[in-house]
Amino acid sequence: MTIKRGSSLLLLALGVTFSQCKQEAYQTQSATETTATAAPAQKEYTYETVPGDPLNARIYTLDNGLKVYLTDYEEAPRIQTYVAVHAGSKNDPANATGLAHYLEHIMFKGTTKLGTADWAKEKVELEKIEALYEKYRQTSDAALRKKIYHQIDSVSGVAATYAIANEYDKLTTNMGAKGTNAYTWVDQTVYVNDIPSNQLEPWVAEEADRFQEMVPRLFHTELEAVYEEKNRTLDSDGRKVAEVINKELFPTHQYGTQTTIGTIEHLKNPSITEIRHFFDTYYVPNNMAIAMSGDIDFDQTIRLIDKYWGAIPKKPVPTFNVAQEKPIQQPIVKEVLGPDAENVSIAYRTPGINSREALVVEMISNLLYNGSAGLVDLNLNQQQKVLNAYAYDTPMHDYGTFRMTGMPRQGQSLDQVRDLLLQQLDLIKKGAFEESLITAVVNNDKISTMKAYEDNSNRADAFVTAFIYDMPWKKFVGREAEFGTITKQEVVDVANKYFTNNYVLVYKRTGKDPNAEKVDKPAITPVAVNRDAQSDYYKAFMAKEANVQPLQPVFVDYKKDITETKLKQNIPLLYTKNKDNGLFQLYYILDMGTNNDPKLGMAVNYLKYLGTDKYSAEELQKQFFQLGTSFDVFTSGDQVYVSLTGLDENFEKGLTLFESVLANPKPDQQALNDMVAGTLKARQDAKKNKGVILQQAMVNYAKYGPKNPFTTVLSEKQLNAVKPQELVSIIKSIPTYQHRVLYYGPRETDNLTTVLNQEHLVPATLKPVPAEKIFAEIDFKQPTVYWADYNMVQAEMLFLSKSVPYTKDIVPVVRLYNEYMGGIVFQDLRESKALAYSTYSFYSPATKQGRANYLLSYIGAQADKLSEAMAGMQTLLTDMPLADANFENARASLRNSISTERITKSNILFDYERAKKLGLTYDIRQDVYQSANTMTFDQMKEFQQKYIKAQPQAILVIGSKDKLNFKELAKYGKVKQLSLTELFGY
């Protein structure tokens, strides 16, 4: 059973932070478990298993207490790894919050051997810096603090001359690692790498070195990155709501009294000494676990881990004393102000994850909201009584939370939304729901787990969940069965016990926050990054890398890997078999979309609110949910995807129901009226979303001008004029156009074609799809700066350059350029100059023949640093620096990545779909791999000079008018403000 903690909403709920931009496990032996012995080697290893475990996992415990979780899943010659530390932000000292998170950043800076050109000299300077920070945090006089910080900045500059920035990243990049990252949350800190299987020993050895010592290298520039991360949270209304909820639910426990990223005051007064103490206390083997899933040889892997990790000494770990929260006696009402659209949230405190009641709370969460047939789904979203609503539980070690959130329709008050949400919860408390819904939730949870375990990251993450939450693996594996034993009476009892008037109510209103804060920019001098320097450790590591046996790539052969046949009316069927489980995916794809007819998107959206001649809309959702299937219709500018997914054992029933929905939708005037009103309200809310404004509205405006795919929508008058029958006719017409069918599932081709020919309802002759409306891309003739006003702490900016139309000939050099420049931009703007927490640059090939490629470069920074950040980015784009080590790493990473990538399952079908759009008949990665060995920096430089340097740009900026430096912006081109009406077309 998967623990629901993956969605961004859930992570935000307790302030999880991800950096480097970038949980239940002690198993005791019992009669029902198996104790086995690995193949004898130098040492005999025992491991624990659990009968019926879908992961067939082995759990080892080394002599020093290190837990090792392994599962073999050979989808590709790669291994997903997590190194988990059983300590998170709740373990931060009360006077130094944010410490666990900041330590996570520091763990990427290397060791006394890695990342240093001269450790003896660097060590002296780092000790000076540590002492100065202790003096700084104990000083209150502003003038004296400024003087001390100037000393810190000065000494840091000297220390940086001995440091080699990003050397850890260079090692992992050279290995072919992907997703190198880490995250800190309340109960844990977890380090992430996805490595090629032939790099197992180098990775194990290097990680063992890394986790034995903490070196606070490049501390003050990285601290500035954390400042920027804090400012990003201060610009997030959702984050502010979550912090208020946690503070009120947990007035005593660290879940509420401190946040993961820390307070501004503590960030401004960091203590390297406290961070060192945290590391020495919690980063010990008996408080850590290694979780791995992938192409694994169990015996070899545990021997290697023991070889490099086994000698690390264990240490006593302090017991965490859980603060006992008093009951909340009456609703606590709070308000949060910010620029985003309004909503209301109701949150409750719930038991910790290891209790049976926490499992019942998860059931309640699913009964209310599961995306299909929950009470909130059917009674609020499907009936359009609110603009949108959802509910979810967040399990944690000591306590949990349950939250419901709703967004109002036009003219609807937040109190009305609150009442509607509470009404759904009251239905649970009264037992006013069908008992069959519990069974359906259990079955769909099994399907979700089955899907999740098709991915190595989810498999390894299950181990992290078990370890962090102190849950024996037997109990974790048994949660799915236990979930199935929950009764309706239990649901009612737990709901009445925990969901009374003991909630926190937060009104998120649109407005200027009078208590808005920001972390001010300190005076930081850029430090040296020493790109071409190499430590002795790095040289020795790379010498060993030369002896690693390379893996051979496997490319997709579309003719062999896809079975292509014909259905009736000559409809193409593309088929790939699912050999792993009993799940299927079925798609009908039409090459027409909203660019052909804006009403098509409206019709597709309308379908979810309609019933048929046999079922109401609510009954339809229940029917699909009971069958363990789900249908969806999605439209883009140039395509329609109609999909059915779920249990193959119910394929025929699901397909029959699915076809009836397309063939017999029943018009509903009230549903249309509500949908139109909801669309208009959603459009207003979109204008309050800075991500939509910058990444969608402004990018489309720059590429196409005021008349573009984003602004080409039906006007309010046109929306109100549409008739139900008109949309129903569009829905019914979808299968009457020429289309193709994609299937990934366990069925044999003959059986599949028989069923589809019988059930797929199409006319005798299919109509050709109409010609797509093409939006002409604008040529950037002169540099222009477009800006939009938005009330925010930071400012965000995109450099956008139009390049040549797509051609496969430049794909290899594009891939190498992106690999190389990604590291250069991050290293320069963040590591050296501390100008941004998040920054990137990549050359983006078109997704369709005849369309242009674009260069896209992003910076998110404090508004007063934007001019420096812009100048830094422009310099890198104009004069691409040569860094030999980075270039060789980029080439190695490209080769290793491709040689270990495997396009499998339904991805084969969609990779073929993408290739066809570009006129390709083969896997383009072949060209990239063949070129990676021979491509030179001069070839990449030639590409950069021709397609990137001095190309006209559109620079897109979003920020607060009173914080932007328009004189500085004018240096980059003609400055033009874009109103929201211009950007959205309404």
Side-chain angles (χ1 to χ4, degrees):
M1 170 178 215
T2 52
I3 303 297
K4 295 195 308 173
R5 62 184 190 89
S7 100
S8 58
L9 286 170
L10 303 191
L11 298 174
L12 284 175
L14 278 164
V16 63
T17 64
F18 290 83
S19 45
Q20 196 68 6
C21 184
K22 278 222 178 264
Q23 299 154 345
E24 304 174 74
Y26 175 74
Q27 169 118 13
T28 56
Q29 199 69 29
S30 74
T32 58
E33 296 165 317
T34 301
T35 301
T37 303
Q42 299 173 344
K43 179 178 178 181
E44 186 176 284
Y45 296 94
T46 59
Y47 56 86
E48 301 155 22
T49 63
V50 173
D53 175 10
L55 300 185
N56 293 312
R58 294 185 183 184
I59 299 94
Y60 301 81
T61 304
L62 299 187
D63 294 342
N64 61 3
L66 179 72
K67 302 289 288 191
V68 181
Y69 296 78
L70 304 178
T71 176
D72 180 30
Y73 187 61
E74 299 178 11
E75 182 182 24
R78 298 192 68 88
I79 305 169
Q80 178 67 58
T81 74
Y82 293 106
V83 178
V85 183
H86 204 320
S89 55
K90 77 177 185 185
N91 302 96
D92 285 344
N95 66 344
T97 59
L99 187 154
H101 169 243
Y102 192 56
L103 172 57
E104 172 217 312
H105 281 246
I106 293 301
M107 289 302 295
F108 288 87
K109 301 303 179 183
T111 67
T112 57
K113 299 176 183 176
L114 176 67
T116 185
D118 189 330
W119 172 243
K121 293 179 179 178
E122 185 185 17
K123 180 175 183 288
V124 173
E125 305 304 323
L126 294 184
E127 288 173 349
K128 292 179 187 176
I129 294 168
E130 182 171 346
L132 284 168
Y133 267 113
E134 290 306 304
K135 184 178 179 181
Y136 182 75
R137 70 195 300 256
Q138 294 165 15
T139 302
S140 57
D141 180 80
L144 187 54
R145 281 172 60 85
K146 186 175 181 180
K147 182 178 179 180
I148 296 171
Y149 202 89
H150 179 73
Q151 290 178 279
I152 291 172
D153 184 63
S154 178
V155 178
S156 295
V158 176
T161 62
Y162 305 116
I164 305 172
N166 276 22
E167 201 163 43
Y168 171 79
D169 289 328
K170 289 177 183 177
L171 281 189
T172 55
T173 297
N174 190 279
M175 287 182 197
K178 298 179 185 177
T180 301
N181 211 325
Y183 68 87
T184 304
W185 199 23
V186 290
D187 294 307
Q188 71 264 54
T189 310
V190 182
Y191 298 84
V192 186
N193 267 301
D194 176 354
I195 63 170
S197 56
N198 65 337
Q199 297 287 344
L200 177 62
E201 183 165 8
W203 177 83
V204 170
E206 190 282 323
E207 291 294 275
D209 288 339
R210 175 160 79 124
F211 284 98
Q212 288 186 67
E213 54 186 356
M214 187 278 291
V215 175
R217 181 173 288 123
L218 302 173
F219 187 89
H220 85 314
T221 52
E222 191 63 30
L223 183 62
E224 174 66 359
V226 176
Y227 288 172
E228 289 292 351
E229 190 172 0
K230 179 68 175 180
N231 282 329
R232 290 167 74 89
T233 70
L234 297 174
D235 274 333
S236 168
D237 287 355
R239 201 59 158 275
K240 290 192 287 186
V241 168
E243 288 189 5
V244 168
I245 287 174
N246 297 332
K247 182 179 179 181
E248 300 303 329
L249 285 179
F250 306 106
T252 307
H253 192 285
Q254 288 86 342
Y255 288 165
T257 61
Q258 51 200 54
T259 64
T260 295
I261 202 165
T263 66
I264 290 178
E265 184 63 27
H266 292 162
L267 286 176
K268 286 182 175 180
N269 295 280
S271 170
I272 296 175
T273 302
E274 288 281 5
I275 292 174
R276 192 184 301 284
H277 176 69
F278 190 99
F279 175 85
D280 291 339
T281 302
Y282 295 108
Y283 281 57
V284 295
N286 47 306
N287 197 48
M288 298 173 68
I290 297 176
M292 304 174 71
S293 179
D295 183 8
I296 285 174
D297 178 297
F298 289 112
D299 299 330
Q300 176 198 26
T301 302
I302 192 59
R303 284 197 297 270
L304 286 173
I305 292 174
D306 192 24
K307 174 182 176 181
Y308 292 101
W309 288 75
I312 303 173
K314 63 164 53 176
K315 294 181 184 178
V317 178
T319 301
F320 181 81
N321 296 315
V322 179
Q324 300 303 307
E325 296 289 2
K326 294 179 180 179
I328 297 172
Q329 301 295 342
Q330 60 186 11
I332 299 171
V333 181
K334 295 292 177 179
E335 182 178 83
V336 169
L337 290 171
D340 290 357
E342 294 190 341
N343 61 66
V344 62
S345 294
I346 304 164
Y348 298 85
R349 185 196 308 148
T350 57
I353 192 172
N354 280 295
S355 67
R356 166 88 175 185
E357 289 175 320
L359 205 60
V360 180
V361 170
E362 183 177 340
M363 173 63 77
I364 293 170
S365 173
N366 279 275
L367 293 172
L368 284 166
Y369 181 77
N370 52 55
S372 297
L375 301 184
V376 170
D377 296 300
L378 298 178
N379 299 339
L380 301 186
N381 292 335
Q382 211 273 331
Q383 294 184 34
Q384 303 187 82
K385 290 185 178 179
V386 296
L387 188 64
N388 188 31
Y390 52 85
Y392 62 89
D393 65 303
T394 303
M396 297 175 290
H397 191 284
D398 306 329
Y399 293 98
T401 64
F402 172 75
R403 175 174 166 181
M404 300 185 293
T405 297
M407 281 65 77
R409 297 177 64 83
Q410 187 64 38
Q412 188 177 39
S413 71
L414 292 181
D415 284 339
Q416 289 174 313
V417 177
R418 172 204 63 195
D419 293 344
L420 287 168
L421 291 170
L422 289 172
Q423 286 170 19
Q424 308 316 303
L425 192 52
D426 282 341
L427 293 176
I428 297 290
K429 292 162 71 174
K430 294 173 182 176
F433 58 92
E434 298 172 9
E435 195 157 1
S436 60
L437 182 57
I438 291 181
T439 303
V441 165
V442 170
N443 290 334
N444 278 273
D445 181 78
K446 291 177 181 177
I447 295 169
S448 296
T449 302
M450 205 183 303
K451 288 180 180 177
Y453 287 168
E454 291 179 343
D455 182 84
N456 275 315
S457 64
N458 291 325
R459 294 165 69 90
D461 188 63
F463 296 147
V464 175
T465 300
F467 173 71
I468 294 300
Y469 293 145
D470 296 312
M471 192 181 293
W473 188 242
K474 179 185 175 184
K475 180 175 181 179
F476 184 91
V477 171
R479 281 174 65 88
E480 185 174 286
E482 187 181 1
F483 195 61
T485 68
I486 295 172
T487 65
K488 183 174 182 179
Q489 189 59 53
E490 269 189 293
V491 167
V492 172
D493 291 344
V494 169
N496 281 285
K497 179 179 179 179
Y498 289 100
F499 305 143
T500 61
N501 281 331
N502 57 344
Y503 56 81
V504 175
L505 177 68
V506 180
Y507 295 107
K508 162 59 197 62
R509 304 189 189 278
T510 301
K512 189 168 185 178
D513 185 355
N515 301 312
E517 301 176 285
K518 84 174 253 193
V519 186
D520 292 325
K521 167 191 173 184
I524 288 181
T525 304
V527 298
V529 291
N530 302 323
R531 286 196 185 99
D532 289 323
Q534 295 180 353
S535 65
D536 290 339
Y537 184 101
Y538 181 87
K539 292 174 184 176
F541 185 95
M542 295 306 294
K544 291 179 182 178
E545 276 291 286
N547 298 320
V548 173
Q549 188 66 30
L551 294 168
Q552 295 305 308
V554 176
F555 300 111
V556 179
D557 185 328
Y558 298 132
K559 291 182 179 180
K560 291 182 179 179
D561 296 330
I562 298 173
T563 299
E564 188 165 356
T565 186
K566 298 286 185 181
L567 299 174
K568 60 186 179 182
Q569 275 68 283
N570 216 31
I571 298 170
L573 168 65
L574 285 74
Y575 165 95
T576 298
K577 189 167 185 176
N578 178 358
K579 300 176 183 178
D580 291 345
N581 54 45
L583 301 178
F584 76 90
Q585 301 172 33
L586 178 74
Y587 301 89
Y588 303 159
I589 302 180
L590 290 72
D591 291 322
M592 57 184 285
T594 52
N595 290 348
N596 300 87
D597 181 2
K599 290 181 183 177
L600 183 56
M602 188 180 181
V604 163
N605 192 39
Y606 186 44
L607 182 60
K608 71 180 76 167
Y609 304 116
L610 302 183
T612 66
D613 53 348
K614 292 179 64 176
Y615 298 105
S616 69
E618 178 180 348
E619 289 169 339
L620 270 178
Q621 294 299 324
K622 289 180 179 179
Q623 286 285 323
F624 278 111
F625 196 64
Q626 294 285 350
L627 289 171
T629 58
S630 60
F631 85 92
D632 193 17
V633 184
F634 166 77
T635 181
S636 65
D638 60 358
Q639 285 189 322
V640 172
Y641 280 73
V642 185
S643 68
L644 180 71
T645 61
L647 285 172
D648 191 74
E649 64 189 66
N650 292 329
F651 179 69
E652 286 87 347
K653 292 178 181 178
L655 183 59
T656 300
L657 191 63
F658 179 53
E659 288 285 343
S660 73
V661 171
L662 293 175
N664 301 297
K666 187 177 179 181
D668 186 325
Q669 182 65 57
Q670 186 58 52
L672 178 57
N673 294 344
D674 290 340
M675 188 185 82
V676 169
T679 298
L680 294 173
K681 176 61 165 57
R683 287 181 179 182
Q684 293 178 23
D685 290 351
K687 290 184 172 183
K688 299 170 184 175
N689 186 314
K690 65 184 176 73
V692 173
I693 295 170
L694 177 64
Q695 302 285 351
Q696 297 181 48
M698 295 184 76
V699 168
N700 271 276
Y701 188 97
K703 284 185 175 182
Y704 304 100
K707 192 68 174 176
N708 59 64
F710 185 78
T711 58
T712 304
V713 295
L714 297 171
S715 68
E716 182 174 350
K717 182 178 179 180
Q718 289 172 316
L719 286 171
N720 286 316
V722 173
K723 303 299 182 186
Q725 190 58 55
E726 186 179 0
L727 297 182
V728 166
S729 296
I730 293 174
I731 293 168
K732 288 182 176 181
S733 75
I734 289 175
T736 69
Y737 286 97
Q738 291 173 352
H739 60 278
R740 56 196 173 279
V741 178
L742 273 56
Y743 173 87
Y744 170 70
R747 300 210 163 210
E748 298 299 335
T749 314
D750 291 345
N751 176 272
L752 178 64
T753 54
T754 299
V755 173
L756 285 171
N757 280 329
Q758 181 178 327
E759 299 292 339
H760 187 30
L761 305 177
V762 294
T765 303
L766 296 173
K767 296 180 288 188
V769 296
E772 178 190 359
K773 178 182 177 180
I774 302 297
F775 290 89
E777 295 169 299
I778 294 174
D779 290 326
F780 299 174
K781 295 181 179 178
Q782 61 180 15
T784 306
V785 179
Y786 298 107
W787 73 279
D789 190 20
Y790 192 88
N791 180 27
M792 57 195 292
V793 172
Q794 285 201 317
E796 296 183 39
M797 182 209 68
L798 285 169
F799 285 84
L800 188 69
S801 297
K802 181 184 176 185
S803 189
V804 294
Y806 178 86
T807 169
K808 70 183 184 71
D809 298 335
I810 65 170
V811 170
V813 71
V814 166
R815 286 283 303 269
L816 184 60
Y817 174 83
N818 286 339
E819 193 80 42
Y820 177 77
M821 279 299 289
I824 294 292
V825 167
F826 182 86
Q827 192 177 68
D828 190 82
L829 298 184
R830 175 166 158 170
E831 295 253 307
S832 171
K833 299 174 180 175
L835 292 174
Y837 171 74
S838 179
T839 181
Y840 58 80
S841 178
F842 67 93
Y843 187 91
S844 177
T847 57
K848 197 171 184 178
Q849 273 186 304
R851 312 305 285 172
N853 305 324
Y854 285 88
L855 179 74
L856 189 67
S857 307
Y858 168 86
I859 300 170
Q862 291 183 42
D864 58 359
K865 293 197 298 188
L866 198 61
S867 60
E868 295 172 68
M870 291 175 73
M873 179 68 82
Q874 192 75 295
T875 298
L876 292 175
L877 296 179
T878 303
D879 302 311
M880 181 177 67
L882 168 61
D884 288 329
N886 290 59
F887 179 72
E888 289 306 320
N889 273 338
R891 287 207 311 179
S893 175
L894 198 53
R895 290 194 304 272
N896 287 336
S897 294
I898 294 177
S899 66
T900 57
E901 284 174 350
R902 297 294 184 267
I903 296 173
T904 61
K905 303 174 182 175
S906 61
N907 291 328
I908 294 173
L909 298 171
F910 290 104
D911 191 74
Y912 179 53
E913 285 287 311
R914 285 188 290 270
K916 284 197 302 180
K917 278 189 167 186
L918 293 168
L920 299 171
T921 58
Y922 65 98
D923 187 343
I924 189 65
R925 294 178 306 152
Q926 296 180 50
D927 295 352
V928 180
Y929 186 78
Q930 290 168 6
S931 300
N933 281 322
T934 57
M935 230 181 311
T936 64
F937 185 84
D938 287 340
Q939 287 175 287
M940 192 172 69
K941 186 73 173 180
E942 181 183 355
F943 164 80
Q944 185 264 346
Q945 295 280 321
K946 186 174 181 180
Y947 296 116
I948 295 171
K949 182 178 181 179
Q951 295 298 312
Q953 296 170 325
I955 300 177
L956 319 178
V957 181
I958 184 169
S960 182
K961 181 178 181 178
D962 59 352
K963 295 183 176 71
L964 294 175
N965 185 335
F966 292 98
K967 184 177 179 181
E968 193 67 30
L969 292 179
K971 295 179 181 178
Y972 294 88
K974 182 180 178 182
V975 178
K976 178 181 179 181
Q977 181 178 7
L978 296 176
S979 68
L980 293 180
T981 301
E982 288 176 289
L983 287 171
F984 285 81
Y986 52 82

